[in-house]
Amino acid sequence: MRIDVVTIFPDYLAALDLSLVGKARRTGLLDLRVHDLRDWTTDRHRTVDDTPFGGGAGMVMRPDIWGRALDDVLGGPPAQSRLVVPTPSGEVFTQRHAEALAGEEHLVFACGRYEGIDARVAEHYRAAGVPVSELSIGDYVLNGGEVAALVMIEAVARLVPGMVGNPESLVEESHGAAGLLEYPVYTKPPEWAGLEVPEVLLSGHHGRVERWRRDEAITRTSARRPDMIEALDPATLDKHDLRL
Ligand SMILES: NCc1ccc(-c2ccccc2)nc1
């Protein structure tokens, strides 16, 4: 898989040289390239923004600069690349999106700053047949798309076959098999700071451990994410012998 990131802060993406993603790059599993949008400017000040039509505060990123950059980076036939634009006004990115994006041959992340990118950029590439995903990682204000791109790239890259040593660990561990939150985990020492590990986990009784973990997952999900409880598919509840 190839991933390109276009940004005015390329150093922001340095974190992708580390750990699993870094290793995948070195082994050629992941072809990740970071580009400075200013490389496509033509003026002395390398300007990428201008004032918004219709007035209002802040600046907007210019479509002509983005157009030159994305034409270069998208390259080849449109059908083979997906343009991903992190934006607070996008569809909320979920594990489903990560799974879908992990199946793509080529992703291009356009990281906006200021008040965002001129809306004609997404419109232009959609009209040219390039699939465009405008995605939000949550309802909070950031100063640009780079952090959101890091989140999405990590979520996607770890799903690329061969990325993670043990494919077992790719099961949605943070949203357990049944679409519930993960149960609490413990390790040695058995007592720490006057706190003990739940007895059942030391019992060696796998059936009881499994039951305890399922109950904990339900308790946590009910308390922290009632929306997920609502969304639970009854068949899943049966499959996992879960009772709310
Ligand atoms: N969903 C989080 C998120 C993603 C992107 C941006 C953003 C901010 C400024 C310019 C361009 C994108 N903000 C929040």
Side-chain angles (χ1 to χ4, degrees):
M1 165 182 251
R2 176 178 158 182
I3 298 178
D4 287 88
V5 185
V6 183
T7 165
I8 58 171
F9 291 120
D11 293 350
Y12 235 106
L13 284 295
L16 295 175
D17 289 335
L18 303 172
S19 183
L20 277 178
V21 176
K23 185 167 149 261
R25 291 176 80 179
R26 285 185 292 282
T27 57
L29 205 61
L30 186 63
D31 173 7
L32 193 141
R33 310 174 196 192
V34 181
H35 311 270
D36 185 341
L37 179 67
R38 294 191 196 277
D39 289 350
W40 283 274
T41 57
T42 51
D43 67 311
R44 206 158 56 86
H45 299 290
R46 294 164 60 89
T47 311
V48 295
D49 63 315
D50 207 327
T51 52
F53 278 123
M59 302 291 274
V60 174
M61 299 188 99
R62 288 172 45 172
D64 51 340
I65 313 293
W66 273 106
R68 281 204 292 275
L70 293 177
D71 282 353
D72 281 357
V73 171
L74 281 164
Q80 281 150 25
S81 309
R82 175 174 289 272
L83 177 60
V84 180
V85 185
T87 168
S89 56
E91 203 176 304
V92 176
F93 178 76
T94 66
Q95 190 64 18
R96 252 44 62 212
H97 290 91
E99 288 158 1
L101 293 180
E104 299 272 359
E105 274 180 63
H106 181 205
L107 299 176
V108 177
F109 285 81
C111 298
R113 280 266 148 175
Y114 307 102
E115 300 311 308
I117 302 171
D118 185 299
R120 288 171 291 179
V121 172
E123 184 183 343
H124 167 73
Y125 287 101
R126 278 198 183 98
V130 176
V132 180
S133 298
E134 295 181 77
L135 298 175
S136 162
I137 61 166
D139 295 334
Y140 33 80
V141 181
L142 299 174
N143 294 323
E146 287 79 8
V147 166
L150 280 171
V151 165
M152 291 190 258
I153 291 170
E154 172 155 327
V156 169
R158 63 187 293 281
L159 297 178
V160 171
M163 254 297 274
V164 174
N166 167 15
E168 292 258 307
S169 64
L170 286 179
V171 174
E172 297 161 358
E173 69 274 3
S174 53
H175 286 181
L180 294 169
L181 297 182
E182 190 52 272
Y183 48 76
V185 290
Y186 300 83
T187 186
K188 296 184 276 302
E191 195 209 302
W192 169 77
L195 299 170
E196 299 194 345
V197 170
E199 190 59 40
V200 63
L201 299 180
L202 308 175
S203 71
H205 193 300
H206 300 299
R208 287 179 54 210
V209 170
E210 215 177 290
R211 161 57 59 201
W212 180 86
R213 285 176 167 170
R214 275 204 295 263
D215 291 349
E216 284 296 307
I218 288 192
T219 306
R220 262 185 173 188
T221 310
S222 307
R224 299 178 183 176
R225 292 290 303 275
D227 60 297
M228 286 177 73
I229 292 287
E230 290 308 310
L232 275 181
D233 164 11
T236 311
L237 291 168
D238 288 346
K239 184 176 139 205
H240 293 275
D241 186 24
L242 293 174
R243 277 181 298 285
L244 296 182

